[in-house]
Protein backbone atom coordinates (compact mmCIF):
# COMPACT_ATOMS: atom_id res chain seq x y z
CA UNK A 1 0.00 0.00 0.00
CA UNK A 2 1.20 3.52 -0.74
CA UNK A 3 0.61 6.42 1.61
CA UNK A 4 2.14 9.38 3.35
CA UNK A 5 4.40 10.04 6.31
CA UNK A 6 3.28 12.13 9.28
CA UNK A 7 3.52 12.44 13.05
CA UNK A 8 0.37 13.56 14.86
CA UNK A 9 0.35 14.75 18.46
CA UNK A 10 -2.93 14.94 20.35
CA UNK A 11 -5.50 13.12 22.49
CA UNK A 12 -6.25 9.62 21.18
CA UNK A 13 -9.13 7.23 21.85
CA UNK A 14 -9.42 3.75 20.34
CA UNK A 15 -10.33 0.17 21.20
CA UNK A 16 -8.40 -3.00 21.88
CA UNK A 17 -11.41 -5.25 22.40
CA UNK A 18 -15.21 -5.49 22.28
CA UNK A 19 -16.76 -3.53 25.21
CA UNK A 20 -19.72 -5.96 25.33
CA UNK A 21 -17.19 -8.53 26.59
CA UNK A 22 -16.43 -6.23 29.53
CA UNK A 23 -19.85 -5.53 31.02
CA UNK A 24 -19.50 -3.09 33.90
CA UNK A 25 -15.82 -2.54 33.03
CA UNK A 26 -16.00 -1.29 29.48
CA UNK A 27 -12.95 0.89 29.97
CA UNK A 28 -10.86 -2.26 29.81
CA UNK A 29 -11.75 -2.55 26.13
CA UNK A 30 -10.61 0.99 25.30
CA UNK A 31 -7.36 2.95 25.13
CA UNK A 32 -7.09 6.64 25.99
CA UNK A 33 -3.88 8.59 25.62
CA UNK A 34 -4.26 12.18 26.68
CA UNK A 35 -1.00 13.34 25.16
CA UNK A 36 -0.02 10.87 22.48
CA UNK A 37 1.96 10.62 19.28
CA UNK A 38 1.01 8.68 16.17
CA UNK A 39 3.85 8.09 13.73
CA UNK A 40 2.91 7.12 10.17
CA UNK A 41 5.25 5.87 7.44
CA UNK A 42 4.00 5.14 3.92
CA UNK A 43 0.41 5.27 5.10
CA UNK A 44 0.87 2.72 7.88
CA UNK A 45 1.16 3.22 11.62
CA UNK A 46 4.82 2.86 12.52
CA UNK A 47 4.65 3.78 16.18
CA UNK A 48 2.03 4.91 18.70
CA UNK A 49 1.92 5.74 22.40
CA UNK A 50 2.52 8.48 24.98
CA UNK A 51 4.18 11.52 23.43
CA UNK A 52 7.23 11.53 25.66
CA UNK A 53 8.08 7.90 24.84
CA UNK A 54 7.31 7.89 21.13
CA UNK A 55 8.80 11.29 20.29
CA UNK A 56 12.15 10.17 21.73
CA UNK A 57 12.23 7.41 19.10
CA UNK A 58 11.42 9.72 16.18
CA UNK A 59 13.38 12.89 16.73
CA UNK A 60 13.67 13.41 12.95
CA UNK A 61 9.94 13.82 12.30
CA UNK A 62 8.07 17.11 11.98
CA UNK A 63 5.11 16.97 14.34
CA UNK A 64 1.58 18.21 13.64
CA UNK A 65 -0.06 19.13 16.95
CA UNK A 66 -3.89 18.94 17.11
CA UNK A 67 -4.83 20.23 20.60
CA UNK A 68 -8.46 20.49 21.72
CA UNK A 69 -9.53 17.45 19.70
CA UNK A 70 -10.14 13.71 20.16
CA UNK A 71 -8.46 11.60 17.48
CA UNK A 72 -10.08 8.24 16.69
CA UNK A 73 -9.59 5.58 14.02
CA UNK A 74 -11.60 6.44 10.89
CA UNK A 75 -15.23 5.39 10.91
CA UNK A 76 -16.19 2.24 9.02
CA UNK A 77 -19.57 2.11 7.30
CA UNK A 78 -20.67 -1.47 6.72
CA UNK A 79 -23.65 -0.74 4.47
CA UNK A 80 -24.24 2.13 2.05
CA UNK A 81 -25.42 2.65 -1.55
CA UNK A 82 -23.20 4.77 -3.79
CA UNK A 83 -25.93 5.35 -6.45
CA UNK A 84 -28.47 6.62 -3.94
CA UNK A 85 -26.75 9.94 -3.20
CA UNK A 86 -29.38 11.86 -5.11
CA UNK A 87 -32.30 9.81 -3.73
CA UNK A 88 -31.63 10.59 -0.08
CA UNK A 89 -34.71 11.84 1.76
CA UNK A 90 -37.39 10.60 -0.66
CA UNK A 91 -40.80 11.04 0.96
CA UNK A 92 -43.45 8.63 1.98
CA UNK A 93 -42.91 4.94 1.26
CA UNK A 94 -41.71 1.77 2.91
CA UNK A 95 -39.05 -0.48 1.42
CA UNK A 96 -40.63 -2.28 -1.55
CA UNK A 97 -42.58 0.75 -2.85
CA UNK A 98 -39.63 3.03 -2.16
CA UNK A 99 -37.37 0.81 -4.30
CA UNK A 100 -39.81 0.89 -7.22
CA UNK A 101 -40.73 4.58 -6.99
CA UNK A 102 -37.56 6.32 -5.87
CA UNK A 103 -34.57 4.00 -6.20
CA UNK A 104 -34.70 1.98 -9.41
CA UNK A 105 -35.54 5.05 -11.57
CA UNK A 106 -32.46 6.76 -10.10
CA UNK A 107 -30.09 3.78 -10.29
CA UNK A 108 -30.80 3.27 -13.97
CA UNK A 109 -29.00 6.54 -14.67
CA UNK A 110 -25.72 4.99 -13.48
CA UNK A 111 -25.28 3.34 -16.83
CA UNK A 112 -23.81 6.70 -17.77
CA UNK A 113 -20.16 7.20 -16.80
CA UNK A 114 -20.39 10.98 -16.47
CA UNK A 115 -23.49 10.82 -14.27
CA UNK A 116 -21.88 8.19 -12.03
CA UNK A 117 -18.61 10.11 -11.84
CA UNK A 118 -20.32 13.30 -10.73
CA UNK A 119 -22.24 11.38 -8.06
CA UNK A 120 -19.00 9.83 -6.82
CA UNK A 121 -17.59 13.29 -6.04
CA UNK A 122 -20.60 14.01 -3.80
CA UNK A 123 -20.46 10.56 -2.30
CA UNK A 124 -16.82 10.66 -1.21
CA UNK A 125 -17.02 14.27 -0.05
CA UNK A 126 -20.00 13.40 2.12
CA UNK A 127 -18.26 10.35 3.57
CA UNK A 128 -15.05 12.18 4.39
CA UNK A 129 -16.83 15.16 5.92
CA UNK A 130 -18.60 12.71 8.22
CA UNK A 131 -15.36 11.02 9.27
CA UNK A 132 -16.01 7.81 7.33
CA UNK A 133 -12.80 6.41 5.88
CA UNK A 134 -13.94 2.93 4.80
CA UNK A 135 -17.25 1.73 3.41
CA UNK A 136 -18.79 -1.42 2.06
CA UNK A 137 -21.08 -0.21 -0.69
CA UNK A 138 -23.61 -1.33 -3.24
CA UNK A 139 -23.25 0.02 -6.76
CA UNK A 140 -25.83 -0.81 -9.46
CA UNK A 141 -26.35 -3.58 -11.95
CA UNK A 142 -24.37 -1.55 -14.54
CA UNK A 143 -20.66 -2.45 -14.56
CA UNK A 144 -19.67 1.12 -15.36
CA UNK A 145 -20.98 2.26 -11.95
CA UNK A 146 -18.69 -0.25 -10.21
CA UNK A 147 -15.74 0.84 -12.35
CA UNK A 148 -16.35 4.50 -11.51
CA UNK A 149 -16.69 3.71 -7.83
CA UNK A 150 -13.39 1.82 -7.61
CA UNK A 151 -11.54 4.38 -9.78
CA UNK A 152 -12.74 7.29 -7.63
CA UNK A 153 -11.97 5.45 -4.37
CA UNK A 154 -8.46 4.73 -5.66
CA UNK A 155 -7.89 8.42 -6.44
CA UNK A 156 -8.49 9.07 -2.73
CA UNK A 157 -6.52 5.98 -1.67
CA UNK A 158 -9.48 4.80 0.43
CA UNK A 159 -9.97 1.23 1.68
CA UNK A 160 -13.36 0.24 0.22
CA UNK A 161 -15.42 -2.85 -0.52
CA UNK A 162 -17.88 -2.88 -3.44
CA UNK A 163 -19.20 -4.99 -6.29
CA UNK A 164 -21.60 -5.21 -9.18
CA UNK A 165 -25.15 -5.48 -7.80
CA UNK A 166 -26.98 -8.62 -8.93
CA UNK A 167 -30.74 -8.36 -9.46
CA UNK A 168 -32.66 -10.42 -12.00
CA UNK A 169 -36.30 -9.83 -11.03
CA UNK A 170 -38.57 -7.36 -9.23
CA UNK A 171 -37.18 -4.31 -11.06
CA UNK A 172 -37.59 -2.48 -14.39
CA UNK A 173 -36.06 -4.07 -17.49
CA UNK A 174 -33.12 -1.65 -17.57
CA UNK A 175 -32.20 -2.52 -13.97
CA UNK A 176 -32.38 -6.33 -14.10
CA UNK A 177 -29.51 -8.36 -15.57
CA UNK A 178 -29.24 -12.06 -16.33
CA UNK A 179 -27.36 -14.36 -13.96
CA UNK A 180 -24.90 -15.20 -16.74
CA UNK A 181 -24.16 -11.51 -17.47
CA UNK A 182 -23.77 -10.91 -13.72
CA UNK A 183 -21.31 -13.80 -13.49
CA UNK A 184 -19.24 -12.71 -16.51
CA UNK A 185 -19.06 -9.06 -15.49
CA UNK A 186 -18.40 -9.82 -11.81
CA UNK A 187 -15.51 -12.05 -12.87
CA UNK A 188 -14.07 -9.33 -15.09
CA UNK A 189 -14.44 -6.70 -12.36
CA UNK A 190 -12.90 -8.95 -9.70
CA UNK A 191 -9.86 -9.53 -11.91
CA UNK A 192 -9.55 -5.84 -12.68
CA UNK A 193 -10.12 -4.34 -9.24
CA UNK A 194 -9.88 -6.80 -6.34
CA UNK A 195 -6.85 -6.03 -4.16
CA UNK A 196 -5.66 -3.40 -6.63
CA UNK A 197 -4.50 -0.61 -4.32
CA UNK A 198 -6.96 -0.55 -1.42
CA UNK A 199 -9.97 -1.80 -3.43
CA UNK A 200 -11.68 -5.00 -2.27
CA UNK A 201 -14.42 -6.83 -4.13
CA UNK A 202 -17.78 -8.00 -2.74
CA UNK A 203 -19.94 -10.45 -4.67
CA UNK A 204 -23.28 -8.67 -4.30
CA UNK A 205 -26.67 -10.37 -4.62
CA UNK A 206 -28.98 -7.43 -3.88
CA UNK A 207 -31.59 -9.36 -1.85
CA UNK A 208 -33.57 -12.57 -2.09
CA UNK A 209 -36.69 -10.83 -3.42
CA UNK A 210 -34.69 -9.54 -6.40
CA UNK A 211 -32.51 -12.62 -6.96
CA UNK A 212 -33.60 -15.95 -8.41
CA UNK A 213 -32.01 -19.18 -7.30
CA UNK A 214 -29.96 -19.06 -10.54
CA UNK A 215 -28.54 -15.65 -9.54
CA UNK A 216 -27.70 -16.98 -6.07
CA UNK A 217 -26.00 -19.98 -7.71
CA UNK A 218 -23.80 -17.60 -9.71
CA UNK A 219 -22.78 -15.94 -6.46
CA UNK A 220 -21.87 -19.33 -5.01
CA UNK A 221 -19.81 -20.09 -8.12
CA UNK A 222 -17.98 -16.75 -7.89
CA UNK A 223 -17.24 -17.27 -4.19
CA UNK A 224 -15.88 -20.72 -5.02
CA UNK A 225 -13.59 -19.29 -7.70
CA UNK A 226 -12.62 -16.21 -5.67
CA UNK A 227 -12.81 -17.25 -2.00
CA UNK A 228 -10.90 -14.12 -0.98
CA UNK A 229 -13.85 -11.90 -2.02
CA UNK A 230 -16.48 -10.54 0.32
CA UNK A 231 -20.26 -11.07 -0.01
CA UNK A 232 -22.65 -8.18 0.56
CA UNK A 233 -26.45 -8.33 0.62
CA UNK A 234 -29.64 -7.36 2.48
CA UNK A 235 -31.65 -9.56 4.83
CA UNK A 236 -34.90 -9.44 6.85
CA UNK A 237 -35.38 -5.71 6.60
CA UNK A 238 -39.12 -5.24 6.26
CA UNK A 239 -42.14 -7.52 6.95
CA UNK A 240 -43.52 -7.28 3.37
CA UNK A 241 -40.06 -8.13 2.04
CA UNK A 242 -39.93 -11.15 4.36
CA UNK A 243 -43.29 -12.41 3.07
CA UNK A 244 -42.15 -11.94 -0.51
CA UNK A 245 -38.85 -13.76 0.11
CA UNK A 246 -40.81 -16.65 1.65
CA UNK A 247 -43.06 -16.84 -1.44
CA UNK A 248 -40.07 -16.87 -3.80
CA UNK A 249 -38.12 -19.49 -1.82
CA UNK A 250 -40.90 -21.75 -0.48
CA UNK A 251 -38.45 -24.56 0.25
CA UNK A 252 -36.48 -22.36 2.68
CA UNK A 253 -37.48 -22.32 6.33
CA UNK A 254 -36.46 -18.71 6.81
CA UNK A 255 -34.55 -15.87 5.11
CA UNK A 256 -31.14 -17.02 6.36
CA UNK A 257 -31.79 -20.46 4.89
CA UNK A 258 -31.80 -18.87 1.39
CA UNK A 259 -28.14 -17.90 1.87
CA UNK A 260 -27.25 -21.20 3.54
CA UNK A 261 -28.86 -23.15 0.71
CA UNK A 262 -26.73 -21.28 -1.84
CA UNK A 263 -23.52 -21.67 0.12
CA UNK A 264 -23.09 -17.97 0.89
CA UNK A 265 -23.40 -17.63 4.68
CA UNK A 266 -19.93 -17.63 6.22
CA UNK A 267 -16.93 -15.43 6.97
CA UNK A 268 -16.78 -12.14 5.02
CA UNK A 269 -20.54 -12.26 4.42
CA UNK A 270 -22.47 -9.15 5.51
CA UNK A 271 -26.22 -8.63 5.34
CA UNK A 272 -27.67 -5.19 5.96
CA UNK A 273 -30.54 -4.68 8.44
CA UNK A 274 -31.48 -8.09 9.90
CA UNK A 275 -34.30 -6.38 11.79
CA UNK A 276 -36.56 -9.43 11.78
CA UNK A 277 -33.95 -12.18 12.22
CA UNK A 278 -35.13 -14.81 14.70
CA UNK A 279 -33.00 -15.95 17.63
CA UNK A 280 -32.22 -19.11 15.72
CA UNK A 281 -31.09 -17.18 12.64
CA UNK A 282 -28.83 -15.00 14.79
CA UNK A 283 -27.32 -18.15 16.26
CA UNK A 284 -26.61 -19.44 12.75
CA UNK A 285 -25.03 -16.12 11.73
CA UNK A 286 -22.82 -16.31 14.80
CA UNK A 287 -21.78 -19.88 14.15
CA UNK A 288 -21.01 -19.17 10.49
CA UNK A 289 -18.92 -16.07 11.30
CA UNK A 290 -21.30 -13.95 9.19
CA UNK A 291 -22.08 -10.30 9.96
CA UNK A 292 -25.06 -7.98 10.13
CA UNK A 293 -24.82 -4.28 9.42
CA UNK A 294 -27.10 -2.37 11.79
CA UNK A 295 -28.69 0.55 9.89
CA UNK A 296 -30.85 2.45 12.38
CA UNK A 297 -31.28 5.67 10.38
CA UNK A 298 -32.67 3.66 7.49
CA UNK A 299 -34.65 1.23 9.64
CA UNK A 300 -36.45 4.19 11.18
CA UNK A 301 -36.70 6.34 8.04
CA UNK A 302 -38.26 3.50 6.01
CA UNK A 303 -40.24 2.26 9.02
CA UNK A 304 -38.62 -1.17 8.85
CA UNK A 305 -38.40 -1.83 12.59
CA UNK A 306 -36.13 -2.00 15.61
CA UNK A 307 -32.98 -4.13 15.27
CA UNK A 308 -32.53 -6.29 18.39
CA UNK A 309 -29.05 -5.15 19.30
CA UNK A 310 -28.95 -6.83 22.72
CA UNK A 311 -30.05 -10.13 21.20
CA UNK A 312 -27.36 -9.91 18.50
CA UNK A 313 -24.75 -9.33 21.22
CA UNK A 314 -25.76 -12.48 23.18
CA UNK A 315 -22.41 -13.63 24.63
CA UNK A 316 -23.31 -17.26 23.85
CA UNK A 317 -23.88 -16.48 20.15
CA UNK A 318 -22.53 -13.02 19.34
CA UNK A 319 -23.13 -11.81 15.79
CA UNK A 320 -20.41 -9.75 14.13
CA UNK A 321 -21.83 -6.23 13.79
CA UNK A 322 -21.03 -3.05 11.90
CA UNK A 323 -23.11 0.10 11.65
CA UNK A 324 -24.22 1.44 8.28
CA UNK A 325 -25.91 4.63 7.19
CA UNK A 326 -27.63 2.87 4.25
CA UNK A 327 -27.94 6.10 2.27
CA UNK A 328 -30.46 6.65 0.63
CA UNK A 329 -32.66 4.47 2.90
CA UNK A 330 -30.81 6.27 5.66
CA UNK A 331 -31.31 10.01 5.56
CA UNK A 332 -27.72 11.06 6.41
CA UNK A 333 -24.17 9.94 5.70
CA UNK A 334 -22.92 10.71 9.19
CA UNK A 335 -22.06 7.70 11.35
CA UNK A 336 -22.27 10.03 14.34
CA UNK A 337 -25.97 10.41 13.55
CA UNK A 338 -26.25 6.68 12.95
CA UNK A 339 -24.91 6.08 16.47
CA UNK A 340 -27.47 8.52 17.87
CA UNK A 341 -30.31 6.57 16.25
CA UNK A 342 -28.75 3.26 17.28
CA UNK A 343 -28.81 4.47 20.88
CA UNK A 344 -32.51 5.34 20.59
CA UNK A 345 -33.32 1.95 19.05
CA UNK A 346 -31.66 0.25 22.02
CA UNK A 347 -33.72 2.38 24.40
CA UNK A 348 -36.97 1.53 22.57
CA UNK A 349 -36.06 -2.15 22.57
CA UNK A 350 -35.86 -1.95 26.32
CA UNK A 351 -39.41 -0.61 26.50
CA UNK A 352 -40.43 -3.62 24.43
CA UNK A 353 -38.62 -5.90 26.84
CA UNK A 354 -40.19 -4.31 29.90
CA UNK A 355 -42.86 -6.78 31.06
CA UNK A 356 -44.97 -4.00 32.59
CA UNK A 357 -45.48 -2.37 29.18
CA UNK A 358 -45.28 -5.34 26.89
CA UNK A 359 -46.22 -8.89 27.73
CA UNK A 360 -42.95 -10.27 26.33
CA UNK A 361 -40.74 -12.22 28.65
CA UNK A 362 -38.38 -9.86 30.43
CA UNK A 363 -34.70 -10.40 29.82
CA UNK A 364 -32.59 -8.14 31.95
CA UNK A 365 -29.32 -9.25 30.45
CA UNK A 366 -30.56 -8.50 26.97
CA UNK A 367 -31.86 -5.10 28.01
CA UNK A 368 -28.45 -4.27 29.49
CA UNK A 369 -26.82 -5.22 26.18
CA UNK A 370 -29.24 -2.95 24.31
CA UNK A 371 -27.76 0.11 26.01
CA UNK A 372 -25.39 1.80 23.61
CA UNK A 373 -22.77 3.41 25.82
CA UNK A 374 -20.20 5.63 24.06
CA UNK A 375 -17.69 2.78 24.40
CA UNK A 376 -19.98 0.35 22.60
CA UNK A 377 -21.09 2.91 20.03
CA UNK A 378 -17.65 4.07 18.91
CA UNK A 379 -16.37 0.49 19.03
CA UNK A 380 -19.04 -0.44 16.46
CA UNK A 381 -18.03 2.48 14.24
CA UNK A 382 -14.32 1.58 14.38
CA UNK A 383 -12.75 -1.71 15.52
CA UNK A 384 -16.10 -3.53 15.66
CA UNK A 385 -16.88 -2.60 12.06
CA UNK A 386 -13.41 -3.75 11.03
CA UNK A 387 -13.92 -7.04 12.91
CA UNK A 388 -17.29 -7.62 11.24
CA UNK A 389 -15.63 -7.19 7.82
CA UNK A 390 -12.58 -9.31 8.69
CA UNK A 391 -10.40 -6.21 8.34
CA UNK A 392 -9.38 -5.83 11.98
CA UNK A 393 -5.86 -6.96 11.13
CA UNK A 394 -5.38 -3.77 9.06
CA UNK A 395 -8.01 -1.26 10.27
CA UNK A 396 -9.94 -0.06 13.31
CA UNK A 397 -7.31 0.91 15.89
CA UNK A 398 -3.96 2.65 16.30
CA UNK A 399 -1.94 -0.54 16.63
CA UNK A 400 1.37 -0.30 14.72
CA UNK A 401 1.20 -2.01 11.33
CA UNK A 402 -2.38 -0.89 10.68
CA UNK A 403 -3.38 1.54 7.96
CA UNK A 404 -3.38 5.14 9.16
CA UNK A 405 -6.95 6.29 8.55
CA UNK A 406 -8.23 8.53 11.32
CA UNK A 407 -10.76 11.19 12.24
CA UNK A 408 -10.19 14.32 14.32
CA UNK A 409 -13.26 15.17 16.40
CA UNK A 410 -14.05 18.63 17.72
CA UNK A 411 -16.49 18.59 20.64
CA UNK A 412 -16.79 22.34 20.41
CA UNK A 413 -18.41 22.64 16.99
CA UNK A 414 -20.83 25.33 17.98
CA UNK A 415 -24.09 23.43 18.34
CA UNK A 416 -26.15 25.06 21.09
CA UNK A 417 -27.38 21.65 22.24
CA UNK A 418 -23.83 20.68 23.13
CA UNK A 419 -23.05 23.59 25.41
CA UNK A 420 -23.18 21.45 28.54
CA UNK A 421 -20.69 18.92 27.20
CA UNK A 422 -18.44 21.66 25.88
CA UNK A 423 -18.36 23.35 29.26
CA UNK A 424 -17.11 20.11 30.84
CA UNK A 425 -14.17 20.02 28.49
CA UNK A 426 -13.58 23.74 28.63
CA UNK A 427 -12.65 23.46 32.30
CA UNK A 428 -9.33 22.12 31.05
CA UNK A 429 -7.42 21.75 27.83
CA UNK A 430 -9.62 18.75 27.09
CA UNK A 431 -10.71 15.50 28.75
CA UNK A 432 -8.21 14.33 31.33
CA UNK A 433 -9.54 10.84 31.88
CA UNK A 434 -10.96 8.10 29.72
CA UNK A 435 -14.36 8.54 31.40
CA UNK A 436 -14.37 12.28 30.67
CA UNK A 437 -13.47 11.59 27.05
CA UNK A 438 -16.21 8.95 26.80
CA UNK A 439 -18.74 11.42 28.19
CA UNK A 440 -17.68 13.93 25.60
CA UNK A 441 -17.99 11.31 22.87
CA UNK A 442 -21.48 10.49 24.11
CA UNK A 443 -22.32 14.19 23.89
CA UNK A 444 -21.07 14.23 20.31
CA UNK A 445 -23.19 11.23 19.32
CA UNK A 446 -26.28 12.36 21.22
CA UNK A 447 -26.32 16.00 20.17
CA UNK A 448 -23.73 16.34 17.43
CA UNK A 449 -23.30 15.44 13.78
CA UNK A 450 -20.76 15.87 10.99
CA UNK A 451 -20.01 19.40 12.23
CA UNK A 452 -18.01 17.68 14.97
CA UNK A 453 -15.67 16.18 12.37
CA UNK A 454 -12.82 18.64 12.03
CA UNK A 455 -10.42 16.59 9.90
CA UNK A 456 -10.33 13.23 8.16
CA UNK A 457 -7.04 11.53 7.22
CA UNK A 458 -6.51 8.68 4.78
CA UNK A 459 -3.27 6.65 4.87
CA UNK A 460 -1.43 9.45 6.61
CA UNK A 461 -2.73 12.23 4.38
CA UNK A 462 -5.34 14.82 5.34
CA UNK A 463 -8.18 14.65 2.82
CA UNK A 464 -10.76 16.72 4.67
CA UNK A 465 -10.54 19.85 6.81
CA UNK A 466 -13.76 21.47 7.97
CA UNK A 467 -14.27 24.89 6.41
CA UNK A 468 -11.42 24.48 3.91
CA UNK A 469 -12.37 25.05 0.25
N1 LIG B 1 -33.15 -4.07 -0.29
C1 LIG B 1 -32.87 -4.25 -1.60
N2 LIG B 1 -32.35 -3.13 -2.15
C2 LIG B 1 -32.32 -2.24 -1.16
C3 LIG B 1 -31.88 -0.88 -1.11
O1 LIG B 1 -31.45 -0.28 -2.08
N3 LIG B 1 -31.99 -0.26 0.11
C4 LIG B 1 -32.48 -0.89 1.21
N4 LIG B 1 -32.54 -0.23 2.36
N5 LIG B 1 -32.90 -2.15 1.18
C5 LIG B 1 -32.82 -2.81 0.01
ZN1 LIG C 1 -29.14 -1.10 1.74
Amino acid sequence: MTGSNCAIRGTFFDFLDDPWKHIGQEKEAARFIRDGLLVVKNGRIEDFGPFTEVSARHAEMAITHLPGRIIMPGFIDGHIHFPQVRALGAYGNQLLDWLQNSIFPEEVKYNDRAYATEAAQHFFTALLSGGTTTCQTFTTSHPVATEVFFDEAAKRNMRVIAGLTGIDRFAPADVVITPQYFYNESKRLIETYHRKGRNLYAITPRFAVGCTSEMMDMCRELKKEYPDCWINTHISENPSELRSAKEHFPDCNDYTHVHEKHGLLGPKFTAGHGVWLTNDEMRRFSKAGAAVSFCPLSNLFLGSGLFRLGRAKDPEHPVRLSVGCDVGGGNAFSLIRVLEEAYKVGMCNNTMLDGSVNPREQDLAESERNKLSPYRAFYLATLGGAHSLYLDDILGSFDPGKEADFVVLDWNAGQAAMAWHQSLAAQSAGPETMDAAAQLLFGIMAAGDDRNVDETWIAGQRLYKKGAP
Side-chain angles (χ1 to χ4, degrees):
M1 189 187 93
T2 57
S4 303
N5 298 344
C6 64
I8 306 292
R9 180 179 185 179
T11 297
F12 292 85
F13 198 117
D14 70 340
F15 294 90
L16 304 167
D17 199 6
D18 179 344
W20 272 278
K21 292 186 190 160
H22 299 261
I23 288 184
Q25 292 154 327
E26 293 181 323
K27 278 195 292 193
E28 287 177 3
R31 172 166 55 185
F32 171 73
I33 302 184
R34 184 160 190 259
D35 185 15
L37 185 65
L38 180 78
V39 175
V40 177
K41 294 256 172 76
N42 297 322
R44 281 187 197 281
I45 298 169
E46 166 105 351
D47 204 350
F48 175 63
F51 177 78
T52 45
E53 286 172 29
V54 178
S55 59
R57 296 195 284 266
H58 302 274
E60 80 290 355
M61 292 204 68
I63 291 170
T64 303
H65 193 192
L66 300 172
R69 304 283 183 266
I70 296 175
I71 306 170
M72 299 197 84
F75 299 148
I76 295 173
D77 190 318
H79 186 107
I80 184 170
H81 295 255
F82 153 56
Q84 295 179 11
V85 184
R86 296 176 173 99
L88 188 155
Y91 170 74
N93 283 307
Q94 291 207 348
L95 178 66
L96 297 183
D97 291 338
W98 171 80
L99 285 171
Q100 298 295 342
N101 298 328
S102 302
I103 298 305
F104 296 143
E106 170 62 15
E107 290 195 4
V108 98
K109 299 175 190 164
Y110 283 69
N111 211 0
D112 179 85
R113 185 174 292 275
Y115 190 85
T117 303
E118 195 193 31
Q121 314 311 314
H122 295 291
F123 181 83
F124 286 112
T125 300
L127 285 186
L128 290 168
S129 63
T132 300
T133 51
T134 282
C135 66
Q136 175 168 247
T137 186
F138 290 78
T139 59
T140 69
S141 44
H142 317 97
V144 68
T146 305
E147 292 170 5
V148 165
F149 178 80
F150 278 134
D151 290 342
E152 291 296 322
K155 280 185 195 164
R156 295 158 177 83
N157 199 18
M158 289 173 71
R159 175 67 70 192
V160 293
I161 309 176
L164 180 72
T165 300
I167 180 166
D168 64 338
R169 65 177 172 207
F170 183 71
D174 37 10
V175 168
V176 294
I177 50 178
T178 66
Q180 190 62 49
Y181 178 80
F182 170 76
Y183 171 82
N184 294 346
E185 286 300 306
S186 297
K187 206 169 157 59
R188 181 181 68 77
L189 290 164
I190 290 169
E191 289 185 359
T192 312
Y193 288 103
H194 183 55
R195 293 211 184 270
K196 301 289 157 53
R198 301 183 80 193
N199 287 332
L200 301 171
Y201 199 91
I203 300 155
T204 308
R206 187 166 194 142
F207 68 150
V209 173
C211 294
T212 62
S213 202
E214 292 71 44
M215 180 64 93
M216 293 296 204
D217 280 339
M218 290 303 179
C219 294
R220 182 214 306 258
E221 194 52 41
L222 287 163
K223 180 70 182 172
K224 224 186 272 172
E225 285 179 54
Y226 301 99
D228 183 45
C229 284
W230 278 251
I231 299 177
N232 188 24
T233 190
H234 295 85
I235 202 166
S236 294
E237 178 175 357
N238 166 290
S240 307
E241 175 216 12
L242 242 71
R243 281 193 289 275
S244 182
K246 182 93 199 118
E247 270 169 39
H248 287 303
F249 290 95
D251 56 329
C252 290
N253 305 326
D254 54 36
Y255 210 140
T256 301
H257 191 194
V258 175
H259 298 288
E260 289 167 331
K261 184 184 161 199
H262 295 92
L264 303 180
L265 197 79
K268 295 164 90 172
F269 170 103
T270 302
H273 306 283
V275 172
W276 301 98
L277 290 174
T278 62
N279 295 358
D280 188 55
E281 286 178 287
M282 288 205 193
R283 271 195 287 275
R284 280 143 58 205
F285 261 72
S286 172
K287 218 167 155 201
V292 170
S293 190
F294 174 22
C295 303
L297 269 178
S298 170
N299 296 342
L300 297 174
F301 188 74
L302 296 178
S304 301
L306 303 177
F307 177 67
R308 297 182 309 143
L309 177 64
R311 171 54 39 196
K313 294 302 294 188
D314 179 352
E316 308 268 316
H317 311 282
V319 178
R320 289 172 183 255
L321 285 186
S322 62
V323 281
C325 72
D326 193 32
V327 156
N331 54 321
F333 282 84
S334 165
L335 283 189
I336 291 174
R337 289 201 47 202
V338 168
L339 296 181
E340 173 197 352
E341 299 302 298
Y343 174 78
K344 293 175 184 170
V345 167
M347 296 303 267
C348 287
N349 271 329
N350 283 349
T351 305
M352 301 296 284
L353 283 169
D354 179 345
S356 64
V357 179
N358 189 291
R360 274 200 215 168
E361 195 182 329
Q362 205 168 12
D363 182 337
L364 288 177
E366 184 171 332
S367 70
E368 200 290 326
R369 294 194 301 269
N370 271 323
K371 294 190 76 170
L372 199 63
S373 69
Y375 293 100
R376 291 171 174 182
F378 284 91
Y379 167 76
L380 284 182
T382 59
L383 187 63
H387 175 70
S388 84
L389 295 169
Y390 290 79
L391 292 175
D392 46 329
D393 54 336
I394 55 169
L395 295 179
S397 76
F398 293 121
D399 283 348
K402 290 196 179 185
E403 299 174 356
D405 300 335
F406 52 92
V407 56
V408 181
L409 296 173
D410 177 6
W411 58 83
N412 189 9
Q415 297 101 320
M418 293 193 63
W420 182 76
H421 293 279
Q422 288 155 15
S423 72
L424 284 182
Q427 290 161 12
S428 67
E432 288 183 9
T433 62
M434 184 184 285
D435 276 338
Q439 250 198 54
L440 215 44
L441 288 173
F442 188 72
I444 288 173
M445 79 184 231
D449 48 42
D450 51 359
R451 284 172 286 182
N452 297 93
V453 174
D454 189 35
E455 300 182 7
T456 305
W457 292 62
I458 300 289
Q461 189 183 4
R462 195 179 74 185
L463 256 62
Y464 171 77
K465 167 73 186 167
K466 188 176 149 189

